[in-house]
Amino acid sequence: MQIEKYKIQAHNDSLLAAHRRRIENSVSEIKDTEDIIQKLIDFQVAIPSWALGTGGTRFGRFSGGGEPRNLEEKMEDIGLLHSLNQSGGAISLHIPWDIPKNIASVKALAAQFGLRFDAMNSNTFQDQPGQEHSYKFGSLQHVNKAVRQQAIDHNIEVIRHGVDLGSESLTVWLADGSCFPGQLNFRKAFQNTLESLKEIYAALPDNWKIFVEYKAFEPNFYSTTVGDWGQSLLYANKLGPKAYTLVDLGHHLANANIEQIVSLLLMEGKLGGFHFNDSKYGDDDLTVGSIKPYQLFLIFNELVEGMEAKGMNHNTDLGWMIDASHNVKDPLEDLLQSIEAIMLSYAQSLIVDRKALAAAQENNDVTAAQEILQNAFRTDMRAIVAEARLRSAGALQPLALFRELKVRENLIKERGLKTIATGL
Ligand code: RM4
Ligand code: MN
Ligand code: MN
């Protein structure tokens, strides 16, 4: 299914008068709105190929219907989403869940939907049918070189698929670790992992980056071999200039100060990728901004401040991706909500009065500093974000239009009620 342009146009026309009133009000209250709108238009977030189906937990999975049955249908879903909000113009593939069968036709489809191939993701956390060695006790860290080699070869194969598609980065997330004290020699596990990563690093094309993603716990519950940003940064530094740390919002221990982490990683020039989601307890993979919107804003505030300090391009110099699992909501609706939350936080972080904040910091004026941040966070940026969508031919209200057009009902008609997407 595709959404015809005239339907988006009609939807926008019906809402235009009310939108005009709101945007005029915002423009009169907020400085530099043209610059902000342009930045919002440029900002694109990748959608992972595993986020289009219903997610599940180890207790169960409740399929919602009309799930994409193959890579082409997943791309079609992202195309739908992108046509509604014009902010999800990239796809991130997980191999082997989504191995492209026909490169030329997959590329043509991507071009048709206006999508680019973002970071490739390898998978050595599951055993695949016919695989020689098991990853039960780890992959790149494994005590047996043959297992490590298999995992290295897999990552190199993922790079090859990425090269075919025009991707320029590899994200390595490892489930490696241990479940019980004594199970692992921490130093050996680290060294094995480092050596394995070095072999993968050596296979990277010149223009590629490798992102080392960390996670504090799960599926291993005693230790994780890339468990936090310190460990990830150690690997990234030892690997070389093409290696970066990837921050996934759900991969920290409770109450970690993620905004401080991203600030320092940016300072070191070692923040490479970012996975958006939200959580209350752990790696919950909930809709972005649904639980802790202020934290999301504070993180964006540091991202923008840190990128500005380094003269980085907000859109292209970091790999932005949503990494969420949709267990009870329609995945496409959930993704529309996530992108909206990202754009709102990004927009709010762009209006922080940085000069005044720096002055307050220099004067130890704690109250003023807090006021400056909260002023930005409490500013309603919805009309500005909608205006950016309008100018790039998206819908003023993507979620409302998604429902009006009965997109899910149509997908169920096309694909059936019982389809299951590959993924977790
Ligand atoms: C992991 C991690 C990875 C993602 C997998 C599916 O927890 O967040 O980025 O690829 O889940
Ligand atoms: Mn992730
Ligand atoms: Mn995760």
Side-chain angles (χ1 to χ4, degrees):
M1 184 195 174
Q2 283 186 51
I3 299 175
E4 293 89 345
K5 287 205 170 87
Y6 77 88
K7 289 188 179 156
I8 296 180
Q9 184 75 48
H11 159 90
N12 287 346
D13 288 348
S14 71
L15 298 169
L16 206 55
H19 171 69
R20 287 274 163 259
R21 281 195 300 277
R22 279 189 218 117
I23 190 72
E24 269 164 35
N25 185 43
S26 294
V27 168
S28 70
E29 305 238 316
I30 301 164
K31 273 196 256 163
D32 302 326
T33 44
E34 278 305 310
D35 180 52
I36 295 170
I37 291 168
Q38 191 54 51
K39 288 203 166 86
L40 293 171
I41 291 173
D42 294 341
F43 199 76
Q44 299 294 319
V45 186
I47 310 295
S49 60
W50 63 96
L52 288 322
T54 310
T57 68
R58 62 197 164 111
F59 298 104
R61 182 178 184 276
F62 305 96
S63 177
E67 292 189 18
R69 292 162 292 185
N70 48 45
L71 176 56
E72 285 73 11
E73 289 184 351
K74 291 178 181 184
M75 292 173 69
E76 186 186 317
D77 278 10
I78 299 176
L80 269 171
L81 199 109
H82 189 46
S83 66
L84 287 169
N85 63 21
Q86 294 296 326
S87 304
I91 176 168
S92 193
L93 295 191
H94 219 296
I95 306 292
W97 292 338
D98 290 298
I99 295 181
K101 286 186 194 83
N102 183 333
I103 297 286
S105 75
V106 164
K107 279 173 100 166
L109 207 57
Q112 185 191 328
F113 296 138
L115 307 178
R116 143 185 90 64
F117 289 94
D118 210 87
M120 301 293 291
N121 301 266
S122 58
N123 179 341
T124 59
F125 49 88
Q126 289 174 324
D127 285 346
Q128 304 302 330
Q131 181 181 309
E132 197 179 345
H133 303 286
S134 170
Y135 296 133
K136 181 171 178 182
F137 297 110
S139 58
L140 299 184
Q141 74 167 17
H142 204 280
V143 289
N144 180 352
K145 171 70 188 168
V147 183
R148 302 203 291 276
Q149 194 58 51
Q150 177 182 282
I152 293 165
D153 292 345
H154 164 69
N155 275 278
I156 294 174
E157 187 201 321
V158 174
I159 295 173
R160 281 201 206 106
H161 288 303
V163 168
D164 288 345
L165 294 168
S167 164
E168 292 180 352
S169 48
L170 169 72
T171 297
V172 178
W173 172 68
L174 299 173
D176 293 34
S178 66
C179 268
F180 296 97
Q183 184 186 332
L184 272 189
N185 176 306
F186 296 136
R187 272 182 288 116
K188 276 190 191 159
F190 184 94
Q191 292 300 345
N192 282 341
T193 304
L194 178 61
E195 268 168 37
S196 307
L197 284 170
K198 278 184 181 163
E199 288 193 42
I200 298 165
Y201 187 90
L204 288 174
D206 286 347
N207 59 335
W208 272 57
K209 296 177 182 172
I210 181 171
F211 301 144
V212 183
E213 182 172 359
Y214 61 87
K215 180 170 178 173
F217 59 91
E218 196 203 20
N220 274 294
F221 288 113
Y222 173 62
S223 74
T224 300
T225 300
V226 193
D228 63 16
W229 71 284
Q231 289 156 24
S232 167
L233 186 59
L234 273 182
Y235 290 109
N237 279 337
K238 286 175 194 289
L239 286 169
K242 291 190 236 168
Y244 297 83
T245 292
L246 184 144
V247 174
D248 180 314
L249 291 181
H251 288 193
H252 303 84
L253 294 176
N255 300 327
N257 190 331
I258 303 172
E259 49 271 34
Q260 187 178 16
I261 295 173
V262 299
S263 164
L264 297 186
L265 284 171
L266 276 170
M267 177 182 79
E268 291 298 292
K270 279 298 195 185
L271 181 63
F274 202 89
H275 285 180
F276 292 104
N277 48 56
D278 208 348
S279 63
K280 178 126 182 96
Y281 300 106
D283 192 27
D284 308 353
D285 280 338
L286 299 177
T287 320
V288 184
S290 60
I291 308 275
K292 292 174 282 198
Y294 190 48
Q295 184 195 45
L296 180 67
F297 160 76
L298 293 174
I299 293 168
F300 251 114
N301 175 49
E302 294 302 335
L303 287 167
V304 165
E305 201 264 346
M307 289 189 292
E308 288 291 302
K310 293 242 163 186
M312 291 166 71
N313 179 305
H314 295 186
N315 178 39
T316 52
D317 286 350
L318 293 183
W320 306 105
M321 191 189 88
I322 293 178
D323 194 1
S325 175
H326 321 287
N327 301 345
V328 295
K329 284 194 275 181
D330 180 318
L332 285 172
E333 293 196 350
D334 205 334
L335 287 163
L336 287 171
Q337 290 181 310
S338 282
I339 291 189
E340 180 74 5
I342 290 168
M343 298 314 264
L344 286 172
S345 283
Y346 178 41
Q348 288 170 331
S349 72
L350 292 172
I351 61 164
V352 171
D353 187 340
R354 304 224 167 263
K355 267 199 197 138
L357 182 60
Q361 289 167 347
E362 288 303 317
N363 294 325
N364 294 314
D365 190 342
V366 184
T367 305
Q370 180 190 332
E371 285 294 303
I372 290 161
L373 289 186
Q374 290 190 334
N375 255 335
F377 177 65
R378 288 169 181 156
T379 304
D380 185 354
M381 297 300 280
R382 287 176 295 183
I384 302 272
V385 170
E387 176 68 17
R389 269 197 305 271
L390 186 66
R391 291 195 197 175
S392 43
L396 277 170
Q397 291 182 16
L399 188 56
L401 184 56
F402 178 91
R403 290 193 165 193
E404 261 166 51
L405 297 178
K406 301 199 178 312
V407 174
R408 182 54 63 186
E409 288 85 338
N410 278 303
L411 291 174
I412 291 174
K413 255 188 237 150
E414 274 177 35
R415 300 170 180 169
L417 198 57
K418 298 249 177 290
T419 55
I420 292 181
T422 47
L424 282 180

